[in-house]
Amino acid sequence: MAWITFNRIYAGLIIVAVVSAMIAPKPFSDKARAQIQRIFMPITYPIHTVASVVSRRISPQAVEVERSGGGPRTYQEIADENRDLRVEVANLTAQLRALQEVNAERELVGPLREFCRPLRVTGNDTGMRRALLVQGPVQGMRAGMAALYPGGMVGKLDRVGWSGGAQVQLITDRGFRITASFGRFSENPRHFQELGSLRTLFEGDGRNGLVCGILSMKQVRDAGLKEGDWAVVADSDYPTALQGYRLGLVKAIETSREGLEVARITVRPQEDLLTLREVMVLVK
Amino acid sequence: MRFIPTLILAYLALGLQSGLAQHIQIRDASPNLVLPVVIFIALYASRDSALLGTYLIGLMQDMLSMVPLGVNPLMYAAITAAVRMTQPAIHREHWLTHILLGLAGGVLQGVILSIVGLRMPPRPPVEMLLVSTLYTAALCPILLRPLLASRRIFGFQPERKMLGRV
């Protein structure tokens, strides 16, 4: 009798799992999930921290370095400052354009950090998706808000729980889509030049980049897009303050396998986003 | 099967999966460090405990992932059922068995993730699933060795003894 009862209960559990996995909408389960991840923080956080440090040492990311005068500062400090300034200039350029168009929201001009709240990364997705588990003061945060790091955009909040747990879907996740435009710095390092009206939809490649396969090679050639250019946010789903914020650098422009004249553009974030230890969420 | 040691084991495995797995990727595919634990429980626990235990582990793993809730319980239920079916014909302590079970588990995982991916995109690429399966299978004997050595802690009881009690 007990045997039959267990089988029935277990069959019920399997049906619930199938319905939840295949039919039930995702937000249905998200509220509960964001609370549970806090339980695992005592083990995931130290492991993630150690693994990130080791990972960065084993495969250090290439850092853009500019030759701008000598001084007592270290090479790394200058590189970091350059990176921050470039992100800020690109961001401000696009912001300024948008502000001129709408003639409002002047208060948004300024370093984006003022509008951000930091969250600590405690782990990664346990499946095959690209996501970060984050922990911190999440009051006022909601799903869809953008997460940033000094090198650009990290992704968006996927779910937020009242216990301080949240999950950030990375821009490199296969389910992440965002519209981007392109630009580059001219000889004047303070001048960010946008490349015409070239805008396109990017999708995470599930590895460490974003890909676009809908522009023609002619469009790419006409715009003068080349490797090393910046891909920046140009998506109306995100606030004005985020427009022009860096997604990454154009790593490759190839002819797509599917079509002879279709360009496959790959964009890489400056760092491996899985190794980040802190992200900033744009809350205003 | 003792509840507390199994809970601690599941906690550690899920913590490792969340904190470590994506940092030790090969060709952008991370191993499933929870799968060896599922195989271990499926091999040694009684039928009901194994089915229920691995289902709950899957549920906990779902809580730390972006996949729709229910995917991992389904996967681990299927893997546990498969392991239970093959149990009479296999040498439970042989490393080759662990590799084969890791491969079979990875294939089942890939099939279920692909089916779910059709309904709830994105679907993971086949190459990533394949590399992850091979990677996990290769790690299975290494991770199962200490578990086998300490299996007394978990208080697994032989199936016959359980049936005798009923």
Side-chain angles (χ1 to χ4, degrees), chain A residues 29-42 44 122 133-135 159-166, chain B residues 11 14 56 59-65 69:
Chain A
S29 55
D30 278 357
K31 284 191 177 173
R33 298 165 89 175
Q35 324 300 341
I36 303 277
Q37 70 184 54
R38 191 186 179 99
I39 300 169
F40 290 91
M41 204 179 130
T44 57
T122 60
L133 307 180
V134 292
Q135 200 74 35
R159 57 182 184 235
V160 183
W162 49 261
S163 66
Chain B
Y11 181 79
L14 288 166
L56 292 175
L59 202 60
M60 293 305 284
Q61 188 167 351
D62 271 356
M63 299 290 177
L64 300 171
S65 176
L69 194 69

PDB file of all heavy atoms in Angstrom, chain A residues 29-42 44 122 133-135 159-166, chain B residues 11 14 56 59-65 69:
ATOM      1  N   SER A  29       7.648  31.314 -10.604  1.00  0.00           N
ATOM      2  CA  SER A  29       8.557  30.684  -9.655  1.00  0.00           C
ATOM      3  C   SER A  29       9.696  31.584  -9.206  1.00  0.00           C
ATOM      4  O   SER A  29      10.435  31.246  -8.289  1.00  0.00           O
ATOM      5  CB  SER A  29       9.146  29.420 -10.288  1.00  0.00           C
ATOM      6  OG  SER A  29       9.743  29.746 -11.510  1.00  0.00           O
ATOM      7  N   ASP A  30       9.837  32.747  -9.830  1.00  0.00           N
ATOM      8  CA  ASP A  30      11.010  33.576  -9.557  1.00  0.00           C
ATOM      9  C   ASP A  30      11.064  34.133  -8.142  1.00  0.00           C
ATOM     10  O   ASP A  30      12.140  34.266  -7.569  1.00  0.00           O
ATOM     11  CB  ASP A  30      11.077  34.734 -10.558  1.00  0.00           C
ATOM     12  CG  ASP A  30      11.698  34.285 -11.866  1.00  0.00           C
ATOM     13  OD1 ASP A  30      12.097  33.106 -11.929  1.00  0.00           O
ATOM     14  OD2 ASP A  30      11.777  35.095 -12.787  1.00  0.00           O
ATOM     15  N   LYS A  31       9.905  34.476  -7.579  1.00  0.00           N
ATOM     16  CA  LYS A  31       9.910  35.102  -6.258  1.00  0.00           C
ATOM     17  C   LYS A  31      10.506  34.187  -5.212  1.00  0.00           C
ATOM     18  O   LYS A  31      11.299  34.601  -4.372  1.00  0.00           O
ATOM     19  CB  LYS A  31       8.494  35.516  -5.874  1.00  0.00           C
ATOM     20  CG  LYS A  31       8.067  36.767  -6.607  1.00  0.00           C
ATOM     21  CD  LYS A  31       6.801  37.343  -6.062  1.00  0.00           C
ATOM     22  CE  LYS A  31       6.477  38.641  -6.802  1.00  0.00           C
ATOM     23  NZ  LYS A  31       5.190  39.178  -6.451  1.00  0.00           N
ATOM     24  N   ALA A  32      10.123  32.918  -5.275  1.00  0.00           N
ATOM     25  CA  ALA A  32      10.655  31.964  -4.300  1.00  0.00           C
ATOM     26  C   ALA A  32      12.137  31.717  -4.538  1.00  0.00           C
ATOM     27  O   ALA A  32      12.926  31.630  -3.597  1.00  0.00           O
ATOM     28  CB  ALA A  32       9.898  30.655  -4.408  1.00  0.00           C
ATOM     29  N   ARG A  33      12.520  31.676  -5.802  1.00  0.00           N
ATOM     30  CA  ARG A  33      13.898  31.312  -6.123  1.00  0.00           C
ATOM     31  C   ARG A  33      14.902  32.345  -5.627  1.00  0.00           C
ATOM     32  O   ARG A  33      15.991  32.009  -5.187  1.00  0.00           O
ATOM     33  CB  ARG A  33      14.041  31.123  -7.628  1.00  0.00           C
ATOM     34  CG  ARG A  33      13.160  30.006  -8.126  1.00  0.00           C
ATOM     35  CD  ARG A  33      13.030  30.060  -9.612  1.00  0.00           C
ATOM     36  NE  ARG A  33      14.078  29.306 -10.251  1.00  0.00           N
ATOM     37  CZ  ARG A  33      14.129  29.120 -11.548  1.00  0.00           C
ATOM     38  NH1 ARG A  33      13.239  29.639 -12.331  1.00  0.00           N
ATOM     39  NH2 ARG A  33      15.089  28.403 -12.077  1.00  0.00           N
ATOM     40  N   ALA A  34      14.534  33.626  -5.746  1.00  0.00           N
ATOM     41  CA  ALA A  34      15.483  34.668  -5.345  1.00  0.00           C
ATOM     42  C   ALA A  34      15.783  34.630  -3.847  1.00  0.00           C
ATOM     43  O   ALA A  34      16.831  35.103  -3.409  1.00  0.00           O
ATOM     44  CB  ALA A  34      14.928  36.034  -5.731  1.00  0.00           C
ATOM     45  N   GLN A  35      14.879  34.064  -3.062  1.00  0.00           N
ATOM     46  CA  GLN A  35      15.113  34.007  -1.607  1.00  0.00           C
ATOM     47  C   GLN A  35      16.096  32.877  -1.245  1.00  0.00           C
ATOM     48  O   GLN A  35      16.915  33.006  -0.358  1.00  0.00           O
ATOM     49  CB  GLN A  35      13.810  33.755  -0.825  1.00  0.00           C
ATOM     50  CG  GLN A  35      12.568  34.406  -1.391  1.00  0.00           C
ATOM     51  CD  GLN A  35      12.646  35.908  -1.470  1.00  0.00           C
ATOM     52  OE1 GLN A  35      13.456  36.524  -0.801  1.00  0.00           O
ATOM     53  NE2 GLN A  35      11.827  36.493  -2.319  1.00  0.00           N
ATOM     54  N   ILE A  36      15.975  31.769  -1.971  1.00  0.00           N
ATOM     55  CA  ILE A  36      16.709  30.564  -1.588  1.00  0.00           C
ATOM     56  C   ILE A  36      18.219  30.714  -1.763  1.00  0.00           C
ATOM     57  O   ILE A  36      19.001  30.159  -0.990  1.00  0.00           O
ATOM     58  CB  ILE A  36      16.211  29.361  -2.431  1.00  0.00           C
ATOM     59  CG1 ILE A  36      14.695  29.184  -2.253  1.00  0.00           C
ATOM     60  CG2 ILE A  36      16.970  28.096  -2.092  1.00  0.00           C
ATOM     61  CD1 ILE A  36      14.247  28.442  -1.059  1.00  0.00           C
ATOM     62  N   GLN A  37      18.641  31.496  -2.777  1.00  0.00           N
ATOM     63  CA  GLN A  37      20.072  31.546  -3.088  1.00  0.00           C
ATOM     64  C   GLN A  37      20.909  32.071  -1.921  1.00  0.00           C
ATOM     65  O   GLN A  37      22.087  31.771  -1.817  1.00  0.00           O
ATOM     66  CB  GLN A  37      20.322  32.384  -4.342  1.00  0.00           C
ATOM     67  CG  GLN A  37      20.084  33.857  -4.168  1.00  0.00           C
ATOM     68  CD  GLN A  37      20.265  34.594  -5.482  1.00  0.00           C
ATOM     69  OE1 GLN A  37      19.660  34.269  -6.485  1.00  0.00           O
ATOM     70  NE2 GLN A  37      21.113  35.593  -5.470  1.00  0.00           N
ATOM     71  N   ARG A  38      20.272  32.836  -1.025  1.00  0.00           N
ATOM     72  CA  ARG A  38      20.997  33.374   0.133  1.00  0.00           C
ATOM     73  C   ARG A  38      21.529  32.241   1.014  1.00  0.00           C
ATOM     74  O   ARG A  38      22.583  32.367   1.620  1.00  0.00           O
ATOM     75  CB  ARG A  38      20.040  34.270   0.927  1.00  0.00           C
ATOM     76  CG  ARG A  38      20.722  35.089   1.984  1.00  0.00           C
ATOM     77  CD  ARG A  38      19.698  35.829   2.822  1.00  0.00           C
ATOM     78  NE  ARG A  38      20.370  36.586   3.853  1.00  0.00           N
ATOM     79  CZ  ARG A  38      20.625  37.870   3.769  1.00  0.00           C
ATOM     80  NH1 ARG A  38      20.267  38.539   2.719  1.00  0.00           N
ATOM     81  NH2 ARG A  38      21.239  38.501   4.752  1.00  0.00           N
ATOM     82  N   ILE A  39      20.791  31.148   1.065  1.00  0.00           N
ATOM     83  CA  ILE A  39      21.186  30.014   1.899  1.00  0.00           C
ATOM     84  C   ILE A  39      22.549  29.472   1.468  1.00  0.00           C
ATOM     85  O   ILE A  39      23.342  29.014   2.287  1.00  0.00           O
ATOM     86  CB  ILE A  39      20.126  28.884   1.806  1.00  0.00           C
ATOM     87  CG1 ILE A  39      18.770  29.399   2.285  1.00  0.00           C
ATOM     88  CG2 ILE A  39      20.552  27.650   2.576  1.00  0.00           C
ATOM     89  CD1 ILE A  39      17.619  28.445   1.980  1.00  0.00           C
ATOM     90  N   PHE A  40      22.817  29.566   0.180  1.00  0.00           N
ATOM     91  CA  PHE A  40      24.053  28.981  -0.343  1.00  0.00           C
ATOM     92  C   PHE A  40      25.238  29.945  -0.295  1.00  0.00           C
ATOM     93  O   PHE A  40      26.351  29.567  -0.635  1.00  0.00           O
ATOM     94  CB  PHE A  40      23.835  28.509  -1.786  1.00  0.00           C
ATOM     95  CG  PHE A  40      22.939  27.318  -1.870  1.00  0.00           C
ATOM     96  CD1 PHE A  40      21.574  27.458  -2.018  1.00  0.00           C
ATOM     97  CD2 PHE A  40      23.456  26.041  -1.779  1.00  0.00           C
ATOM     98  CE1 PHE A  40      20.736  26.361  -2.080  1.00  0.00           C
ATOM     99  CE2 PHE A  40      22.632  24.935  -1.827  1.00  0.00           C
ATOM    100  CZ  PHE A  40      21.270  25.092  -1.989  1.00  0.00           C
ATOM    101  N   MET A  41      24.989  31.188   0.098  1.00  0.00           N
ATOM    102  CA  MET A  41      26.043  32.197   0.084  1.00  0.00           C
ATOM    103  C   MET A  41      27.289  31.809   0.891  1.00  0.00           C
ATOM    104  O   MET A  41      28.405  32.062   0.443  1.00  0.00           O
ATOM    105  CB  MET A  41      25.474  33.514   0.575  1.00  0.00           C
ATOM    106  CG  MET A  41      26.242  34.711   0.082  1.00  0.00           C
ATOM    107  SD  MET A  41      25.478  36.192   0.679  1.00  0.00           S
ATOM    108  CE  MET A  41      26.869  37.043   1.350  1.00  0.00           C
ATOM    109  N   PRO A  42      27.146  31.199   2.078  1.00  0.00           N
ATOM    110  CA  PRO A  42      28.359  30.856   2.839  1.00  0.00           C
ATOM    111  C   PRO A  42      29.341  29.979   2.076  1.00  0.00           C
ATOM    112  O   PRO A  42      30.536  30.020   2.333  1.00  0.00           O
ATOM    113  CB  PRO A  42      27.792  30.107   4.060  1.00  0.00           C
ATOM    114  CG  PRO A  42      26.414  30.614   4.214  1.00  0.00           C
ATOM    115  CD  PRO A  42      25.921  30.882   2.823  1.00  0.00           C
ATOM    116  N   THR A  44      29.050  29.492  -1.664  1.00  0.00           N
ATOM    117  CA  THR A  44      29.285  29.966  -3.037  1.00  0.00           C
ATOM    118  C   THR A  44      30.175  31.199  -3.070  1.00  0.00           C
ATOM    119  O   THR A  44      31.021  31.333  -3.949  1.00  0.00           O
ATOM    120  CB  THR A  44      27.958  30.286  -3.756  1.00  0.00           C
ATOM    121  OG1 THR A  44      27.244  31.257  -3.003  1.00  0.00           O
ATOM    122  CG2 THR A  44      27.103  29.055  -3.933  1.00  0.00           C
ATOM    123  N   THR A 122      27.976  36.538  -5.617  1.00  0.00           N
ATOM    124  CA  THR A 122      28.227  35.396  -4.720  1.00  0.00           C
ATOM    125  C   THR A 122      28.351  34.080  -5.469  1.00  0.00           C
ATOM    126  O   THR A 122      28.727  33.072  -4.887  1.00  0.00           O
ATOM    127  CB  THR A 122      27.107  35.252  -3.679  1.00  0.00           C
ATOM    128  OG1 THR A 122      25.865  35.046  -4.364  1.00  0.00           O
ATOM    129  CG2 THR A 122      26.987  36.490  -2.814  1.00  0.00           C
ATOM    130  N   LEU A 133      24.774  35.259  -9.486  1.00  0.00           N
ATOM    131  CA  LEU A 133      23.956  35.382  -8.284  1.00  0.00           C
ATOM    132  C   LEU A 133      24.540  36.543  -7.487  1.00  0.00           C
ATOM    133  O   LEU A 133      25.753  36.563  -7.243  1.00  0.00           O
ATOM    134  CB  LEU A 133      24.017  34.095  -7.453  1.00  0.00           C
ATOM    135  CG  LEU A 133      23.688  32.783  -8.161  1.00  0.00           C
ATOM    136  CD1 LEU A 133      23.790  31.618  -7.188  1.00  0.00           C
ATOM    137  CD2 LEU A 133      22.303  32.816  -8.767  1.00  0.00           C
ATOM    138  N   VAL A 134      23.711  37.501  -7.124  1.00  0.00           N
ATOM    139  CA  VAL A 134      24.213  38.673  -6.400  1.00  0.00           C
ATOM    140  C   VAL A 134      23.442  38.865  -5.103  1.00  0.00           C
ATOM    141  O   VAL A 134      22.312  38.381  -4.961  1.00  0.00           O
ATOM    142  CB  VAL A 134      24.122  39.957  -7.266  1.00  0.00           C
ATOM    143  CG1 VAL A 134      25.089  39.903  -8.427  1.00  0.00           C
ATOM    144  CG2 VAL A 134      22.704  40.176  -7.768  1.00  0.00           C
ATOM    145  N   GLN A 135      24.081  39.551  -4.198  1.00  0.00           N
ATOM    146  CA  GLN A 135      23.510  39.732  -2.872  1.00  0.00           C
ATOM    147  C   GLN A 135      23.781  41.161  -2.417  1.00  0.00           C
ATOM    148  O   GLN A 135      24.857  41.697  -2.665  1.00  0.00           O
ATOM    149  CB  GLN A 135      24.186  38.730  -1.922  1.00  0.00           C
ATOM    150  CG  GLN A 135      23.442  38.417  -0.664  1.00  0.00           C
ATOM    151  CD  GLN A 135      22.229  37.515  -0.897  1.00  0.00           C
ATOM    152  OE1 GLN A 135      22.269  36.658  -1.750  1.00  0.00           O
ATOM    153  NE2 GLN A 135      21.181  37.745  -0.140  1.00  0.00           N
ATOM    154  N   ARG A 159      15.718  38.462 -11.590  1.00  0.00           N
ATOM    155  CA  ARG A 159      14.741  38.342 -10.515  1.00  0.00           C
ATOM    156  C   ARG A 159      15.334  38.931  -9.234  1.00  0.00           C
ATOM    157  O   ARG A 159      16.550  38.919  -9.040  1.00  0.00           O
ATOM    158  CB  ARG A 159      14.345  36.877 -10.311  1.00  0.00           C
ATOM    159  CG  ARG A 159      15.498  35.961 -10.014  1.00  0.00           C
ATOM    160  CD  ARG A 159      15.009  34.536  -9.868  1.00  0.00           C
ATOM    161  NE  ARG A 159      16.074  33.659  -9.492  1.00  0.00           N
ATOM    162  CZ  ARG A 159      16.413  32.568 -10.154  1.00  0.00           C
ATOM    163  NH1 ARG A 159      15.788  32.248 -11.254  1.00  0.00           N
ATOM    164  NH2 ARG A 159      17.381  31.799  -9.732  1.00  0.00           N
ATOM    165  N   VAL A 160      14.456  39.424  -8.397  1.00  0.00           N
ATOM    166  CA  VAL A 160      14.895  40.072  -7.162  1.00  0.00           C
ATOM    167  C   VAL A 160      14.046  39.544  -6.014  1.00  0.00           C
ATOM    168  O   VAL A 160      12.816  39.458  -6.136  1.00  0.00           O
ATOM    169  CB  VAL A 160      14.711  41.614  -7.260  1.00  0.00           C
ATOM    170  CG1 VAL A 160      15.226  42.284  -6.000  1.00  0.00           C
ATOM    171  CG2 VAL A 160      15.404  42.164  -8.481  1.00  0.00           C
ATOM    172  N   GLY A 161      14.693  39.184  -4.923  1.00  0.00           N
ATOM    173  CA  GLY A 161      13.954  38.675  -3.774  1.00  0.00           C
ATOM    174  C   GLY A 161      14.089  39.619  -2.592  1.00  0.00           C
ATOM    175  O   GLY A 161      15.053  40.368  -2.493  1.00  0.00           O
ATOM    176  N   TRP A 162      13.136  39.580  -1.706  1.00  0.00           N
ATOM    177  CA  TRP A 162      13.180  40.494  -0.566  1.00  0.00           C
ATOM    178  C   TRP A 162      14.307  40.178   0.406  1.00  0.00           C
ATOM    179  O   TRP A 162      14.684  40.983   1.217  1.00  0.00           O
ATOM    180  CB  TRP A 162      11.836  40.500   0.174  1.00  0.00           C
ATOM    181  CG  TRP A 162      11.294  39.132   0.488  1.00  0.00           C
ATOM    182  CD1 TRP A 162      10.350  38.467  -0.224  1.00  0.00           C
ATOM    183  CD2 TRP A 162      11.652  38.270   1.576  1.00  0.00           C
ATOM    184  NE1 TRP A 162      10.103  37.238   0.334  1.00  0.00           N
ATOM    185  CE2 TRP A 162      10.890  37.091   1.450  1.00  0.00           C
ATOM    186  CE3 TRP A 162      12.547  38.365   2.637  1.00  0.00           C
ATOM    187  CZ2 TRP A 162      11.005  36.018   2.340  1.00  0.00           C
ATOM    188  CZ3 TRP A 162      12.666  37.296   3.522  1.00  0.00           C
ATOM    189  CH2 TRP A 162      11.895  36.154   3.369  1.00  0.00           C
ATOM    190  N   SER A 163      14.850  38.983   0.354  1.00  0.00           N
ATOM    191  CA  SER A 163      15.905  38.605   1.299  1.00  0.00           C
ATOM    192  C   SER A 163      17.277  39.141   0.890  1.00  0.00           C
ATOM    193  O   SER A 163      18.275  38.841   1.530  1.00  0.00           O
ATOM    194  CB  SER A 163      15.973  37.093   1.418  1.00  0.00           C
ATOM    195  OG  SER A 163      16.381  36.547   0.185  1.00  0.00           O
ATOM    196  N   GLY A 164      17.356  39.924  -0.182  1.00  0.00           N
ATOM    197  CA  GLY A 164      18.637  40.488  -0.595  1.00  0.00           C
ATOM    198  C   GLY A 164      19.283  39.741  -1.739  1.00  0.00           C
ATOM    199  O   GLY A 164      20.357  40.101  -2.192  1.00  0.00           O
ATOM    200  N   GLY A 165      18.642  38.693  -2.204  1.00  0.00           N
ATOM    201  CA  GLY A 165      19.199  37.911  -3.307  1.00  0.00           C
ATOM    202  C   GLY A 165      18.619  38.364  -4.638  1.00  0.00           C
ATOM    203  O   GLY A 165      17.465  38.747  -4.722  1.00  0.00           O
ATOM    204  N   ALA A 166      19.452  38.345  -5.643  1.00  0.00           N
ATOM    205  CA  ALA A 166      18.988  38.675  -6.990  1.00  0.00           C
ATOM    206  C   ALA A 166      19.858  37.930  -7.993  1.00  0.00           C
ATOM    207  O   ALA A 166      20.911  37.401  -7.635  1.00  0.00           O
ATOM    208  CB  ALA A 166      19.059  40.174  -7.233  1.00  0.00           C
TER     209      ALA A 166
ATOM    210  N   TYR B  11      24.305  20.288  -0.325  1.00  0.00           N
ATOM    211  CA  TYR B  11      24.651  21.699  -0.128  1.00  0.00           C
ATOM    212  C   TYR B  11      26.047  21.997  -0.684  1.00  0.00           C
ATOM    213  O   TYR B  11      26.262  22.971  -1.405  1.00  0.00           O
ATOM    214  CB  TYR B  11      24.577  22.017   1.370  1.00  0.00           C
ATOM    215  CG  TYR B  11      24.877  23.441   1.746  1.00  0.00           C
ATOM    216  CD1 TYR B  11      23.918  24.432   1.594  1.00  0.00           C
ATOM    217  CD2 TYR B  11      26.110  23.796   2.263  1.00  0.00           C
ATOM    218  CE1 TYR B  11      24.191  25.741   1.952  1.00  0.00           C
ATOM    219  CE2 TYR B  11      26.391  25.102   2.622  1.00  0.00           C
ATOM    220  CZ  TYR B  11      25.424  26.069   2.467  1.00  0.00           C
ATOM    221  OH  TYR B  11      25.698  27.372   2.811  1.00  0.00           O
ATOM    222  N   LEU B  14      26.039  21.711  -4.560  1.00  0.00           N
ATOM    223  CA  LEU B  14      25.402  22.861  -5.201  1.00  0.00           C
ATOM    224  C   LEU B  14      26.256  24.121  -5.027  1.00  0.00           C
ATOM    225  O   LEU B  14      26.337  24.951  -5.937  1.00  0.00           O
ATOM    226  CB  LEU B  14      24.006  23.083  -4.609  1.00  0.00           C
ATOM    227  CG  LEU B  14      22.968  22.038  -5.028  1.00  0.00           C
ATOM    228  CD1 LEU B  14      21.736  22.112  -4.148  1.00  0.00           C
ATOM    229  CD2 LEU B  14      22.574  22.224  -6.481  1.00  0.00           C
ATOM    230  N   LEU B  56      14.654  16.395  -4.992  1.00  0.00           N
ATOM    231  CA  LEU B  56      14.824  17.598  -4.161  1.00  0.00           C
ATOM    232  C   LEU B  56      16.132  18.316  -4.476  1.00  0.00           C
ATOM    233  O   LEU B  56      16.189  19.548  -4.466  1.00  0.00           O
ATOM    234  CB  LEU B  56      14.756  17.226  -2.673  1.00  0.00           C
ATOM    235  CG  LEU B  56      13.378  16.761  -2.192  1.00  0.00           C
ATOM    236  CD1 LEU B  56      13.436  16.309  -0.740  1.00  0.00           C
ATOM    237  CD2 LEU B  56      12.339  17.876  -2.345  1.00  0.00           C
ATOM    238  N   LEU B  59      15.527  20.290  -7.475  1.00  0.00           N
ATOM    239  CA  LEU B  59      14.717  21.472  -7.142  1.00  0.00           C
ATOM    240  C   LEU B  59      15.610  22.576  -6.567  1.00  0.00           C
ATOM    241  O   LEU B  59      15.473  23.766  -6.905  1.00  0.00           O
ATOM    242  CB  LEU B  59      13.647  21.069  -6.132  1.00  0.00           C
ATOM    243  CG  LEU B  59      12.412  21.939  -6.031  1.00  0.00           C
ATOM    244  CD1 LEU B  59      11.675  22.004  -7.354  1.00  0.00           C
ATOM    245  CD2 LEU B  59      11.487  21.430  -4.945  1.00  0.00           C
ATOM    246  N   MET B  60      16.532  22.186  -5.684  1.00  0.00           N
ATOM    247  CA  MET B  60      17.447  23.164  -5.098  1.00  0.00           C
ATOM    248  C   MET B  60      18.360  23.760  -6.179  1.00  0.00           C
ATOM    249  O   MET B  60      18.670  24.944  -6.152  1.00  0.00           O
ATOM    250  CB  MET B  60      18.310  22.514  -4.010  1.00  0.00           C
ATOM    251  CG  MET B  60      17.544  22.084  -2.781  1.00  0.00           C
ATOM    252  SD  MET B  60      16.583  23.421  -2.046  1.00  0.00           S
ATOM    253  CE  MET B  60      17.850  24.342  -1.236  1.00  0.00           C
ATOM    254  N   GLN B  61      18.785  22.926  -7.118  1.00  0.00           N
ATOM    255  CA  GLN B  61      19.657  23.437  -8.183  1.00  0.00           C
ATOM    256  C   GLN B  61      18.900  24.443  -9.062  1.00  0.00           C
ATOM    257  O   GLN B  61      19.469  25.431  -9.531  1.00  0.00           O
ATOM    258  CB  GLN B  61      20.194  22.286  -9.036  1.00  0.00           C
ATOM    259  CG  GLN B  61      21.252  22.766 -10.023  1.00  0.00           C
ATOM    260  CD  GLN B  61      22.025  21.649 -10.666  1.00  0.00           C
ATOM    261  OE1 GLN B  61      21.909  20.482 -10.266  1.00  0.00           O
ATOM    262  NE2 GLN B  61      22.809  21.966 -11.663  1.00  0.00           N
ATOM    263  N   ASP B  62      17.627  24.166  -9.281  1.00  0.00           N
ATOM    264  CA  ASP B  62      16.797  25.097 -10.054  1.00  0.00           C
ATOM    265  C   ASP B  62      16.737  26.471  -9.405  1.00  0.00           C
ATOM    266  O   ASP B  62      16.623  27.489 -10.082  1.00  0.00           O
ATOM    267  CB  ASP B  62      15.373  24.557 -10.161  1.00  0.00           C
ATOM    268  CG  ASP B  62      15.199  23.661 -11.374  1.00  0.00           C
ATOM    269  OD1 ASP B  62      16.168  23.530 -12.146  1.00  0.00           O
ATOM    270  OD2 ASP B  62      14.114  23.089 -11.539  1.00  0.00           O
ATOM    271  N   MET B  63      16.791  26.479  -8.075  1.00  0.00           N
ATOM    272  CA  MET B  63      16.706  27.748  -7.354  1.00  0.00           C
ATOM    273  C   MET B  63      17.922  28.630  -7.633  1.00  0.00           C
ATOM    274  O   MET B  63      17.886  29.833  -7.418  1.00  0.00           O
ATOM    275  CB  MET B  63      16.626  27.504  -5.835  1.00  0.00           C
ATOM    276  CG  MET B  63      15.424  26.708  -5.404  1.00  0.00           C
ATOM    277  SD  MET B  63      13.941  27.672  -5.614  1.00  0.00           S
ATOM    278  CE  MET B  63      12.701  26.496  -5.122  1.00  0.00           C
ATOM    279  N   LEU B  64      19.002  28.025  -8.068  1.00  0.00           N
ATOM    280  CA  LEU B  64      20.240  28.772  -8.316  1.00  0.00           C
ATOM    281  C   LEU B  64      20.513  28.906  -9.805  1.00  0.00           C
ATOM    282  O   LEU B  64      21.646  29.101 -10.217  1.00  0.00           O
ATOM    283  CB  LEU B  64      21.422  28.063  -7.650  1.00  0.00           C
ATOM    284  CG  LEU B  64      21.337  27.904  -6.139  1.00  0.00           C
ATOM    285  CD1 LEU B  64      22.445  26.996  -5.645  1.00  0.00           C
ATOM    286  CD2 LEU B  64      21.437  29.256  -5.464  1.00  0.00           C
ATOM    287  N   SER B  65      19.486  28.763 -10.594  1.00  0.00           N
ATOM    288  CA  SER B  65      19.706  28.785 -12.036  1.00  0.00           C
ATOM    289  C   SER B  65      18.620  29.574 -12.737  1.00  0.00           C
ATOM    290  O   SER B  65      17.581  29.885 -12.155  1.00  0.00           O
ATOM    291  CB  SER B  65      19.730  27.348 -12.557  1.00  0.00           C
ATOM    292  OG  SER B  65      19.853  27.340 -13.954  1.00  0.00           O
ATOM    293  N   LEU B  69      11.772  26.445 -13.535  1.00  0.00           N
ATOM    294  CA  LEU B  69      11.677  25.571 -12.357  1.00  0.00           C
ATOM    295  C   LEU B  69      11.091  24.214 -12.759  1.00  0.00           C
ATOM    296  O   LEU B  69      10.055  24.167 -13.421  1.00  0.00           O
ATOM    297  CB  LEU B  69      10.785  26.237 -11.314  1.00  0.00           C
ATOM    298  CG  LEU B  69      10.836  25.651  -9.909  1.00  0.00           C
ATOM    299  CD1 LEU B  69      12.177  25.928  -9.266  1.00  0.00           C
ATOM    300  CD2 LEU B  69       9.726  26.244  -9.040  1.00  0.00           C
TER     301      LEU B  69
END
